[in-house]
Amino acid sequence: YVEITLDLEESLRDLPRVGLQFTSPCMGKACFFANGPHENYSDRRYSAHAGVYEVDTPSSLDTYVVPQEQGNRTELRWLFLYQSSSSDNAGRSKEATEVEEDSIANLVANKTGILILPEDLVEFTTSRFTDAEVFAARHVNDLIPPNNDEYYVRLDVAQRGLGTGSCGPQTLEKYTIHGGTYRIAFWLKPVGYD
């Protein structure tokens, strides 16, 4: 069980996200119960619907020519990162697909991975790059994957809405994040390890 309380200076305004980031061995697949199947954010989620989805991990960063935040999913109830087999990869696309399992127990059966169960709804992203690396890149070709099998998992209690005012309206105030006290808590459970 992991519980973190973040006390951010009240004077901080318009933060990009509040949460934590940790590394994980690259499992190959993520199955999640959250809004999907496509990426979504606090102010861009009306076309996303709660469901159980599966996607290759980590999320790719080749959707946009100029690297930026992408691949976020809102209202996460649980996340299962697991080892994929060659048969799992046959015919898969980069897009999340809906899963028809009748229970989480059946979903994790005979698989090896990590199950993340948040106490409250959170947002999540997986990536091969840190936020700083994405922010520093001017073009997607500037992002060179590291020579290891780790990737970043981000669990956010809050994330700023989209929009910067550079080519459209600024983010609405109700979707911005400011200093204050935030809490995130979740269970981290290994599955299928003897």
Side-chain angles (χ1 to χ4, degrees):
Y1 182 75
V2 177
E3 181 178 15
I4 299 170
T5 300
L6 301 163
D7 289 316
L8 303 177
E9 190 67 42
E10 293 285 338
S11 63
L12 293 173
R13 312 307 293 159
D14 206 12
L15 300 168
R17 65 166 32 104
V18 175
L20 63 102
Q21 172 179 278
F22 58 91
T23 59
S24 170
C26 189
M27 296 290 184
K29 295 284 183 187
C31 189
F32 56 90
F33 181 14
N35 289 340
H38 51 76
E39 67 179 2
N40 53 89
Y41 298 84
S42 60
D43 62 342
R44 302 287 194 280
R45 63 182 175 161
Y46 291 114
S47 65
H49 306 285
V52 178
Y53 301 97
E54 181 181 63
V55 67
D56 292 337
T57 59
S59 300
S60 73
L61 283 176
D62 58 5
T63 305
Y64 309 112
V65 174
V66 177
Q68 56 194 281
E69 171 61 42
Q70 59 186 292
N72 191 64
R73 302 302 200 289
T74 58
E75 297 186 358
L76 176 70
R77 282 91 164 164
W78 55 259
L79 170 62
F80 182 47
L81 304 168
Y82 68 96
Q83 296 288 345
S84 61
S85 66
S86 57
S87 63
D88 288 336
N89 293 325
R92 289 281 185 202
S93 72
K94 294 188 314 185
E95 300 299 317
T97 56
E98 195 157 6
V99 175
E100 298 293 331
E101 291 296 337
D102 59 351
S103 74
I104 192 169
N106 288 341
L107 183 89
V108 303
N110 301 315
K111 293 185 173 82
T112 303
I114 300 167
L115 182 61
I116 300 168
L117 300 155
E119 195 171 278
D120 298 308
L121 297 177
V122 296
E123 301 181 26
F124 90 95
T125 307
T126 61
S127 178
R128 294 284 283 160
F129 307 98
T130 65
D131 284 338
E133 290 169 329
V134 172
F135 185 74
R138 309 254 316 143
H139 190 277
V140 69
N141 293 340
D142 296 338
L143 293 169
I144 299 166
N147 291 329
N148 62 38
D149 67 348
E150 291 185 337
Y151 65 105
Y152 299 95
V153 178
R154 296 184 189 98
L155 298 177
D156 295 320
V157 67
Q159 190 173 122
R160 182 187 194 276
L162 300 178
T164 61
S166 63
C167 62
Q170 186 56 265
T171 302
L172 294 176
E173 178 62 28
K174 67 182 180 179
Y175 299 116
T176 59
I177 301 169
H178 306 301
T181 301
Y182 297 87
R183 178 184 172 274
I184 187 168
F186 58 94
W187 288 266
L188 191 62
K189 179 178 175 36
V191 175
Y193 294 96
D194 296 329

